[in-house]
Amino acid sequence: MPRKSWHIERRTFLKGVGVTLALPWLEGMSWSNDRGSAVTPPNRFCAVYFPFGIADLAENDERAQFGWWPLGEGREYRFSKTLEPLAPFRDQITPLAGLDHPAGYELGGHGTAGIFLTGGLRNNTRTLNRVSADQVVAEHLGRETRFPSLVCSTEGGVGALLNSNTLSYDRSGNPLPGVAEPSALFDMLFGAAKARQTLRTQASVLDQLLQSTRELNGQLGTADRRKLDEYLVSVRSVEQEIGRSRGWLDKPSARVDAAKLNLACNIKNDPRAYLRVVYDLLFLAFQTDSTRVATFLTGNMRGESQYSAAAAWPKAVGVRDEAHKVKHDAGSKPEDASKYDAFLLEQFAYFMNRLQGAREGDATLLDRTVLLYGSSNSTSHANTNYPLILAGGRSMGFKHGQYLKFPAKRVPMSNLLLTAIQGLGVRAESFADSTGALASLRA
Amino acid sequence: MTRSIFAAAIVILTVGAPSRADDRADYDRAVKPLLVKHCVACHGAEKPKGGVRFDGPAPDLTDPKVAEKWLLARRMLAQGEMPPEGKPRPTADELLATMNWIEDAAARAAVVTRGGVGRRALRRLTNREYVATLHDLLGLSFPHATGDLGTRLPSDAVANTFSNDSNSQVTQALLLRRSLDLAEDLLAVALPAEGTVKPFRYDVDLRSLVAEKHRAFLAMPDANRKGQRGPGIGNVVIPAHAKGGDPAKLGVQGGPNSPLAVEHLDPARGLMLEPNPILIGVNRNAVTQSLPFVPEGGVLRVRVRAAAVMDHDDSAPVLRLSFGGPQGPGNVAYPVAQVTVTATETKEYVLEVPLVLAECDWKSFRREKRLLVQIDNAAAPLAPTATPEAYDSKKRETYLKRNRLLLESFCLELDASPTWPPKSEVVLPAPRDGEDDEARAKRALRAFLSRAFRRPVADRELEAFVKLYRDQRAAGRGFLDGYKTAVAAALVSPQVLYLIEPRAAERRPLTVWELASRLSYLAWNTTPDAELLARGADGSILTDAELTKQLRRLLADERAFGFTREFTRQWLDLDVIDHLAPPVTRPARTIDDTSELAWYDKAIRRDLAAEPAHVLLDALRNDRPVNSLVAADHVVVNDRLARYYGVALPKGTGWRRVAAPENRRGGLLTQAGCVAAATHAQERGEIKRGVYLVERFLGIDIPSPPGNVDIKPLDVQLAEDKSLRALTARQHLDKHRTVATCAVCHQRIDPLGFVWDGFDMYGQPKRDKQGKLVAFDSSGTLPDKATFANFSEFRKLMAQGELESRFAVAFSQRLYTYVLGRSLDHGDEVQLKTIRTAAAKYGGGVRALLLAMVLSEPFRNK
């Protein structure tokens, strides 16, 4: 990976890079104020997952403020210390309690990351997953963008089904590999020198094919020619796809300003820099309409730091233990868990802030984006009562400002996923084991 | 589909030459009475409802609007939407006759619109054919690599027909995109760019390691050593060979967190590896070498001196090579190559894997900057269990007594390109004296394109690719890059991707090259070899004698398995076996058991799906009677299937032919794989089985059930409606046929539903919970009303009548569809009749049948 040349102070990047980097796309496909009236800006979806659960304290516990859950209920709720970073977004978020995936009850305590967005494994064979909510959305929103969806993961790749390194699973239940390195994400999204040469070569190849096919066409009968037309159409369509990628690559500004990204930050030792650069890239991907769907797994369920890039993150931000242990001990030392979760939420709030800062027509990018944040554990290893936060999407009719508590084990989380899917404009009657959308979330 | 075409053809054959008059007579006889009785009252001359009339003469369905109207009518009749509720219903026989007529008329009309009978549209290579073609053209061969590169291309499965059916094939942008990527990846292996690969080599002699590490331990008296484990062989640093590389660590795992037990160490012979069922988590028995870097490309070659230690009557050890990331719980090792070890004396086995083609978690490897190369024994058990009583929990050993793999030494080597064939001469010949770059590129391209296009390349064509090379050079790229670009373009060009047969106004014989290609893709699933092209060049392939000789030669080659596998896989829907619920239902008793069972399960599925291909190959090579495919006194099985069927198999390896036990004398009809594919793992699979037999063994296509019918499998019905449980299975099925629209098809399906009553869903004799064989009743009725009282009568009905037997007729239709690479037209029935007569004259064998097809006019003409 060409890391060195990208390395520049984070602060510089944060100030300027967003807009300039986005330029090549914005020229052609802008939803900014002056042109916005002609086109409706698209809807976006992003889901973020964190492992190992939370400090699951009852409201009457004297340390309740160090727990995850908000205090009180409905519109009158108060933020716990953990959720404090989200306080500025009170009217943009809905904390939810009581939801979970019934299909996850029987899986191991470390086994549910893979079903966070799918609702459960297929037929319980434990060999195949079901399609994840983001991919359902991507089938609908991903057709017009260069990438149907982005799959980000601190761990990269797919991991094992019951120890997933990715949140995204396709229609057949196969995992979609996550990308871990910011540099790889950047290369993928905004191109790199090697890809440029490949694309250029492939374009010449296709050009040649178009020519020789035309000649061939003259020799064939009608039925054969129809078949060959299919081929020609395919060649043209691939050519266009490549042309689009190349068109972007050839914009000089992308090269210059990309150098300001802190793409070489250390995943294991500098979680703040890492999370922010990934959130920055996600923001840019949305803003440039490179994709409309993204998932981000911030740590897998492998406890030890040799197997998980995010295992030692708490240590890096002043908490004594590794993430696994922090959450295990959350009952006796909720302060640590609270501090670490608040740290993760701070970075998420940073993402929300960026989205809110970008206007699109008469709304902000945050209003155009449905965000889901959460985990598939409550108290460490309990696959029930997921800590979840739904945010953004006001342009799609999402209503926030209250703390929704559902009775334990009654309402599947799939109902929440269904609500998001429908809100994003996908015609879906159900998702996984859903029993209906959550009416209280949307107008 | 085919059924209707044949129904039409049969009518034509019996009535005489097809003509409009016959068509009309047929219409008057089969369709008109129903229309008059049920439709014309509303859809007549006076105030026709919906503006639709059915009181006219026989319609002409070549008019698309007319066709649309009649096909809609057919659908509404089938679904019971018409006649409307409250009106009298037509009988099943009336319905069937009318619906068949409409379907046949539509099919004939479609042929007219397609531009003539018996012609196939441009046929594209299937995914498997394309992958094989790329390998052959680039001179690559990785016989032991386990990945299926075809899965990189979007699936080309076509419903209800073969994937080589040109009339149903679709080409999409994604296919082209992925084909180009795949071609470039393979090209990078065949012609690696200089200096991109850093070669390395490690040599490990396990004998000296054992001797050194265990000297003290092995010196102890036997009595003291008994039951103890030796010290671990972990973290031995292996120095790099002079060729290159950094020192790497060797590890030997003997079990969860424990070193290898001493009985596996032998300083004189090496290391014994028990089969290792675990690919996730901590390895039990494996030798691993951790490379402190991840190579960017090249071909990894592992040379192993190994032998099989056949102490037990179980499967031979399998030497498996896997790539993995860091060791630990949850770690996954990705198998990339394997070979069965049968030699009992140590012998060298060579596994080659191009890294770019290995599907594994490269992202993680790169992040860890470590590649773990693992060698273990992948022999899956021959049977799901020995006696559980034999399991001794104290010994912490699996109770299955398994054969071990002896590892004496190995050599790990990375090179830019594979050793076979020598250099990359086939793709790019060495430069000649005084030849400039362009002349060399031109010479190389001429040779390559002629092989790739399967015919001599024309100068104009060649010039286009030379220009591509020239343009690349002009753009500042090197010789190799420019040449590779031209070759990549050729590999995804229509001339390679399609079997191109330019068309003249009149029907014409195939050229020598076209015929060679058709023959090669039929019998080998890949591009013609040099010999076949030579027979094209001298023109001899056009003669019957040479065509016959060539077909025999191709069938004798191992590539012919590609043909029988593809054909049987699709004809008998064998892919489904891999997706069914597990065949072994016995609960696992131990942790070892869990993984062993899953392992066995995977292996037996593969075997079940492969058996028909081996049977057909055996029948082809030995020219066994066509009917022996459904009535045979032998089976072709491997060791695992022999256990599954309970037959004794003489010592040996691979697939062998032995006498069949009493309950397996129906050829394909008593193969567990067919029963499993037919049953779909449904407890009550009678209907599925009936459909399978009707469609695949009797050649009658059954339309899908109408869309407004809530189809629930029989076992779901039983779960929902308890009253159904009072019925016997046969009574339950009979309920279907009380509704006329259902009866149309189910009167043909259901009476065959109990043919396999004696088999469970995985084709084993059906037993009750106590393990006792249960009584069964296989009786039933064929669609042509012939009845049978048991399986052997059914088999006899299927197989009697030489090449005109029910099975032979149906089989020849399916095979001919595959051979021609297109759906059959009604003219083909006449051909098939001639083919079967000719084949009967040659002796009535399967090869004779295939030969007659290859010699037939439709195969040799465009």
Side-chain angles (χ1 to χ4, degrees):
Chain A
M1 290 302 153
R3 289 194 175 169
K4 269 185 190 150
S5 61
W6 303 127
H7 191 83
I8 275 205
E9 275 302 290
R10 193 181 80 249
R11 217 165 270 280
T12 331
F13 157 68
L14 292 182
K15 277 182 194 155
V17 75
V19 181
T20 39
L21 188 66
L23 258 179
W25 273 104
L26 290 178
E27 277 171 9
M29 337 182 45
S30 163
W31 284 278
S32 55
N33 285 324
D34 50 329
R35 310 178 45 179
S37 53
V39 212
T40 317
N43 297 334
R44 283 89 157 189
F45 175 65
C46 178
V48 181
Y49 164 93
F50 66 95
F52 302 123
I54 49 155
D56 184 13
L57 301 181
E59 185 153 0
N60 56 12
D61 193 304
E62 53 182 9
R63 302 161 304 170
Q65 54 166 328
F66 295 113
W68 167 278
W69 309 110
L71 311 168
E73 202 170 339
R75 303 213 156 267
E76 306 309 317
Y77 77 90
R78 284 170 293 125
F79 283 96
S80 61
K81 272 209 176 320
T82 314
L83 296 189
E84 198 70 25
L86 296 181
F89 297 101
R90 190 184 179 95
D91 56 344
Q92 290 272 18
I93 65 165
T94 304
L96 301 111
L99 303 178
D100 49 38
H101 291 312
Y105 297 162
E106 60 171 42
L107 299 181
H110 283 253
T112 51
I115 66 159
F116 184 60
L117 293 181
T118 71
L121 302 181
R122 180 167 301 190
N123 298 334
N124 291 326
T125 54
R126 299 201 172 188
T127 51
L128 272 185
N129 208 334
R130 284 194 270 214
V131 64
S132 56
D134 60 299
Q135 292 307 304
V136 173
V137 176
E139 281 168 11
H140 182 74
L141 293 181
R143 270 173 274 171
E144 293 162 31
T145 52
R146 190 163 141 197
F147 300 98
S149 78
L150 277 192
V151 184
C152 307
S153 155
T154 47
E155 314 304 327
V158 297
L161 183 55
L162 291 176
N163 221 320
S164 191
N165 284 351
T166 174
L167 296 177
S168 299
Y169 286 79
D170 70 12
R171 274 276 163 209
S172 326
N174 296 315
L176 300 173
V179 184
E181 299 86 354
S183 53
L185 254 183
F186 178 85
D187 283 354
M188 190 177 122
L189 279 168
F190 307 118
K194 193 177 162 200
R196 187 190 308 272
Q197 183 55 56
T198 311
L199 290 178
R200 199 172 281 158
T201 315
Q202 292 196 337
S204 333
V205 165
L206 293 169
D207 216 43
Q208 152 72 18
L209 292 180
L210 274 181
Q211 285 173 24
S212 60
T213 309
R214 244 177 246 128
E215 242 170 72
L216 195 64
N217 224 342
Q219 308 168 21
L220 298 177
T222 1
D224 285 359
R225 220 177 293 164
R226 257 201 301 277
K227 287 278 167 194
L228 201 63
D229 278 348
E230 270 178 18
Y231 176 87
L232 271 175
V233 168
S234 304
V235 174
R236 274 196 208 102
S237 134
V238 176
E239 201 175 37
Q240 275 162 10
E241 188 190 321
I242 288 176
R244 200 145 70 114
S245 310
R246 287 181 74 202
W248 202 92
L249 284 173
D250 291 343
K251 303 283 180 189
S253 56
R255 276 200 304 264
V256 178
D257 289 303
K260 292 178 183 169
L261 279 160
N262 185 13
L263 293 170
C265 64
N266 187 314
I267 302 184
K268 287 190 173 182
N269 305 336
D270 194 353
R272 190 186 307 269
Y274 174 75
L275 285 169
R276 292 204 170 194
V277 76
V278 173
Y279 282 135
D280 279 325
L281 286 166
L282 287 176
F283 164 72
L284 290 170
F286 280 170
Q287 195 194 26
T288 56
D289 205 28
S290 302
T291 189
R292 295 172 187 173
V293 179
T295 60
F296 186 19
L297 176 135
T298 61
N300 64 10
M301 288 289 285
R302 308 267 307 261
E304 310 83 344
S305 60
Q306 68 263 43
Y307 308 130
S308 164
W313 279 3
K315 285 186 170 179
V317 293
V319 178
R320 279 162 294 182
D321 298 309
E322 296 194 337
H324 186 207
K325 187 160 167 34
V326 168
K327 296 298 174 68
H328 253 299
D329 297 347
S332 53
K333 288 187 289 187
E335 297 86 351
D336 281 0
S338 177
K339 190 172 173 188
Y340 178 53
D341 278 335
F343 160 77
L344 292 178
L345 281 169
E346 255 171 53
Q347 317 315 316
F348 184 67
Y350 165 81
F351 182 39
M352 289 181 70
N353 202 31
R354 291 223 71 186
L355 291 170
Q356 194 168 37
R359 287 207 73 77
E360 253 188 10
D362 52 2
T364 67
L365 196 46
L366 182 58
D367 295 327
R368 292 268 167 217
T369 307
V370 176
L371 294 169
L372 174 66
Y373 186 90
S375 175
S376 51
N377 293 110
S378 45
T379 226
S380 191
H381 294 174
N383 297 336
T384 53
N385 189 21
Y386 298 170
L388 297 168
I389 289 163
L390 195 79
R394 290 197 301 197
S395 296
M396 289 163 253
F398 283 90
K399 291 280 175 256
H400 297 296
Q402 47 177 338
Y403 170 33
L404 291 178
K405 265 169 123 165
F406 296 91
K409 292 196 171 187
R410 288 287 165 76
V411 187
M413 180 191 164
S414 299
N415 287 9
L416 175 64
L417 294 173
L418 178 66
T419 314
I421 290 171
Q422 288 177 344
L424 286 155
V426 182
R427 278 172 206 270
E429 296 293 315
S430 63
F431 176 79
D433 54 354
S434 69
T435 56
L438 302 175
S440 41
L441 269 171
R442 292 184 64 208
Chain B
M1 251 194 31
T2 354
R3 184 199 57 74
S4 52
I5 292 162
F6 280 110
I10 289 159
V11 169
I12 291 159
L13 281 173
T14 47
V15 179
S19 75
R20 293 284 304 152
D22 287 323
D23 209 18
R24 222 170 293 142
D26 219 25
Y27 172 82
D28 289 343
R29 199 184 63 241
V31 185
K32 211 149 187 191
L34 179 136
L35 294 178
V36 170
K37 198 159 135 200
H38 295 284
C39 310
V40 175
C42 296
H43 298 289
E46 281 174 40
K47 289 192 197 163
K49 287 208 172 157
V52 179
R53 289 174 59 172
F54 286 109
D55 56 343
D60 173 12
L61 295 196
T62 51
D63 178 343
K65 280 208 178 120
V66 176
E68 197 183 330
K69 177 179 112 176
W70 282 83
L71 287 171
L72 181 68
R74 184 192 168 279
R75 190 174 61 81
M76 293 178 97
L77 281 172
Q79 299 188 350
E81 287 172 36
M82 282 288 158
E85 246 175 85
K87 301 279 178 192
R89 307 254 128 209
T91 66
D93 284 340
E94 285 175 331
L95 269 180
L96 193 62
T98 305
M99 284 162 54
N100 278 350
W101 184 89
I102 299 175
E103 220 179 288
D104 299 341
R108 266 170 289 155
V111 170
V112 174
T113 353
R114 201 160 67 213
V117 174
R119 300 192 140 172
R120 75 174 189 196
L122 196 59
R123 162 146 126 63
R124 180 166 59 71
L125 303 190
T126 66
N127 289 351
R128 285 211 163 94
E129 287 170 339
Y130 186 62
V131 170
T133 302
L134 287 182
H135 277 86
D136 286 350
L137 291 179
L138 295 173
L140 299 173
S141 167
F142 304 104
H144 304 307
T146 47
D148 178 4
L149 293 177
T151 57
R152 290 199 185 181
L153 306 174
S155 159
D156 60 359
V158 198
N160 298 326
T161 180
F162 294 103
S163 57
N164 72 0
D165 181 339
S166 58
N167 296 328
S168 309
Q169 282 177 334
V170 181
T171 302
Q172 48 162 326
L174 189 63
L175 177 84
L176 191 70
R177 176 91 233 216
R178 299 262 173 88
S179 300
L180 181 55
D181 290 343
L182 183 61
E184 286 181 336
D185 277 353
L186 281 166
L187 193 51
V189 176
L191 292 178
E194 267 173 48
T196 48
V197 171
K198 231 173 93 187
F200 64 72
R201 175 169 167 171
Y202 300 95
D203 288 302
V204 178
D205 189 334
L206 291 154
R207 288 169 301 186
S208 60
L209 264 180
V210 169
E212 190 182 314
K213 276 270 178 180
H214 291 72
R215 192 174 297 131
F217 189 72
L218 293 166
M220 289 199 289
D222 277 359
N224 295 3
R225 234 169 48 191
K226 204 158 193 229
Q228 296 230 17
R229 283 161 192 281
I233 308 181
N235 297 336
V236 179
V237 176
I238 305 296
H241 188 261
K243 188 172 175 180
D246 296 318
K249 274 182 195 162
L250 182 82
V252 177
Q253 276 75 31
N257 306 318
S258 64
L260 207 65
V262 71
E263 57 264 32
H264 300 302
L265 309 174
D266 185 338
R269 302 176 69 194
L271 208 67
M272 310 276 193
L273 292 178
E274 293 274 356
N276 174 26
I278 311 282
L279 279 171
I280 297 177
V282 181
N283 287 299
R284 308 257 176 106
N285 295 288
V287 175
T288 56
Q289 187 164 340
S290 179
L291 306 179
F293 53 85
V294 182
E296 286 294 325
V299 177
L300 183 74
R301 187 176 318 110
V302 183
R303 267 200 272 268
V304 186
R305 287 197 62 81
V309 185
M310 302 289 284
D311 292 340
H312 305 287
D313 186 17
D314 207 278
S315 53
V318 173
L319 174 68
R320 171 171 58 188
L321 179 72
S322 314
F323 293 160
Q327 279 279 304
N331 167 54
V332 181
Y334 300 83
V336 292
Q338 64 177 41
V339 61
T340 305
V341 174
T342 49
T344 45
E345 294 300 317
T346 337
K347 167 187 160 184
E348 184 177 84
Y349 290 85
V350 184
L351 297 172
E352 276 194 334
V353 185
L355 296 187
V356 66
L357 302 184
E359 307 274 359
C360 40
D361 193 358
W362 289 109
K363 279 245 142 60
S364 309
F365 303 168
R366 297 237 152 82
R367 192 181 66 225
E368 298 294 329
K369 298 192 179 60
R370 213 140 68 101
L371 177 67
L372 200 78
V373 180
Q374 174 177 317
I375 295 170
D376 60 6
N377 176 0
L382 280 192
T385 170
T387 49
E389 295 70 38
Y391 175 66
D392 180 352
S393 60
K394 282 188 193 127
K395 277 193 187 154
R396 293 169 54 99
E397 268 177 23
T398 161
Y399 51 80
L400 293 163
K401 289 296 176 195
R402 309 280 296 287
N403 291 322
R404 295 177 292 173
L405 175 69
L406 172 70
L407 275 188
E408 189 180 275
S409 63
F410 65 88
C411 161
L412 221 61
E413 211 174 354
L414 186 93
D415 269 317
S417 56
T419 41
W420 186 95
K423 312 277 183 227
S424 39
E425 284 277 300
V426 270
V427 196
L428 179 61
R432 285 180 185 157
D433 284 342
E435 187 179 45
D436 69 6
D437 276 3
E438 186 165 323
R440 182 182 173 207
K442 192 167 178 174
R443 181 167 61 89
L445 277 173
R446 183 185 292 280
F448 183 79
L449 290 177
S450 296
R451 281 198 310 123
F453 293 177
R454 310 177 274 266
R455 59 171 167 75
V457 63
D459 284 348
R460 272 175 58 82
E461 283 175 312
L462 175 62
E463 186 45 41
F465 287 90
V466 174
K467 180 174 178 298
L468 187 57
Y469 160 83
R470 206 180 289 132
D471 291 348
Q472 293 290 310
R473 292 305 300 271
R477 308 191 70 205
F479 171 79
L480 196 59
D481 284 339
Y483 180 70
K484 277 160 79 172
T485 304
V487 170
L491 290 175
V492 290
S493 68
Q495 289 91 331
V496 169
L497 220 47
Y498 291 87
L499 295 179
I500 290 188
E501 295 162 354
R503 184 178 173 180
E506 291 299 306
R507 174 165 265 227
R508 64 165 176 83
L510 293 182
T511 66
V512 285
W513 311 112
E514 289 163 352
L515 189 57
S517 288
R518 274 202 189 188
L519 192 65
S520 178
Y521 279 98
L522 166 64
W524 274 359
N525 264 1
T526 187
T527 197
D529 65 349
E531 156 80 8
L532 207 47
L533 287 177
R535 296 292 78 77
D538 65 22
S540 60
I541 197 168
L542 293 178
T543 65
D544 286 9
E546 187 61 37
L547 202 49
T548 309
K549 197 174 138 199
Q550 287 302 323
L551 180 67
R552 289 179 81 122
R553 179 179 74 86
L554 299 193
L555 289 179
D557 188 277
E558 61 180 17
R559 276 170 279 196
F561 183 67
F563 157 49
T564 59
R565 187 195 57 206
E566 283 302 281
F567 173 70
T568 54
R569 169 179 90 77
Q570 300 180 65
W571 169 40
L572 298 170
D573 194 23
L574 299 171
D575 283 354
V576 78
I577 296 174
D578 211 27
H579 303 284
L580 302 178
V584 182
T585 44
R586 185 174 64 72
R589 290 165 210 249
T590 66
I591 294 177
D592 283 352
D593 216 8
T594 320
S595 45
E596 298 271 350
L597 274 180
W599 200 15
Y600 168 77
D601 174 46
K602 216 172 151 185
I604 191 75
R605 280 170 203 256
R606 209 173 41 227
D607 294 341
L608 289 175
E611 186 187 1
H614 287 284
V615 168
L616 182 60
L617 190 61
D618 168 74
L620 272 170
R621 287 189 176 154
N622 299 294
D623 205 13
R624 301 194 196 283
V626 173
N627 288 320
S628 77
L629 292 175
V630 290
D633 52 6
H634 64 269
V635 285
V636 180
V637 290
N638 64 5
D639 293 327
R640 196 171 293 104
L641 272 177
R643 294 280 174 103
Y644 198 77
Y645 290 163
V647 294
L649 198 57
K651 280 235 176 291
T653 53
W655 294 75
R656 284 154 285 161
R657 186 167 182 269
V658 283
E662 189 62 44
N663 62 344
R664 304 283 174 193
R665 297 201 177 144
L668 297 166
L669 283 174
T670 42
Q671 282 184 15
C674 292
V675 180
T679 316
H680 274 244
Q682 285 181 9
E683 198 66 59
R684 292 289 310 281
E686 293 89 2
I687 295 182
K688 292 262 179 206
R689 286 173 169 185
V691 172
Y692 189 88
L693 286 167
V694 168
E695 289 196 324
R696 299 172 199 274
F697 285 90
L698 290 161
I700 302 172
D701 285 327
I702 299 285
S704 312
N708 60 347
V709 175
D710 185 17
I711 315 153
K712 287 187 180 132
L714 295 177
D715 27 3
V716 177
Q717 289 180 18
L718 281 178
E720 285 180 357
D721 185 352
K722 305 268 188 277
S723 71
L724 289 173
R725 294 187 187 187
L727 307 176
T728 66
R730 282 179 187 263
Q731 285 167 341
H732 184 186
L733 224 58
D734 286 343
K735 283 189 73 177
H736 269 82
R737 299 199 291 279
T738 53
V739 187
T741 51
C742 300
V744 167
C745 295
H746 282 275
Q747 66 187 3
R748 290 181 288 178
I749 300 169
D750 298 0
L752 285 175
F754 292 90
V755 165
W756 282 324
D757 201 33
F759 290 110
D760 69 11
M761 48 193 180
Y762 266 89
Q764 290 283 47
K766 207 193 267 177
R767 292 170 190 275
D768 61 13
K769 284 193 180 124
Q770 281 71 46
K772 279 202 207 115
L773 288 174
V774 295
F776 57 88
D777 172 7
S778 301
S779 66
T781 313
L782 287 167
D784 56 20
K785 311 292 183 213
T787 59
F788 50 92
N790 52 43
F791 182 82
S792 82
E793 283 187 28
F794 170 70
R795 185 184 57 191
K796 203 169 149 201
L797 284 176
M798 292 293 286
Q800 72 187 7
E802 304 291 317
L803 280 180
E804 296 304 317
S805 73
R806 289 180 176 85
F807 172 73
V809 170
F811 174 73
S812 58
Q813 286 171 13
R814 295 297 187 206
L815 184 61
Y816 204 36
T817 308
Y818 183 87
V819 166
L820 293 181
R822 62 165 169 82
S823 35
L824 297 186
D825 293 328
H826 44 272
D828 296 325
E829 181 61 16
V830 187
Q831 288 291 344
L832 267 171
K833 194 113 187 141
T834 322
I835 285 168
R836 286 197 298 268
T837 316
K841 233 179 281 165
Y842 302 143
V846 182
R847 190 175 61 210
L849 183 67
L850 184 67
L851 179 62
M853 288 176 177
V854 163
L855 294 176
S856 74
E857 194 220 357
F859 187 79
R860 295 161 88 175
N861 284 274
K862 167 71 184 175

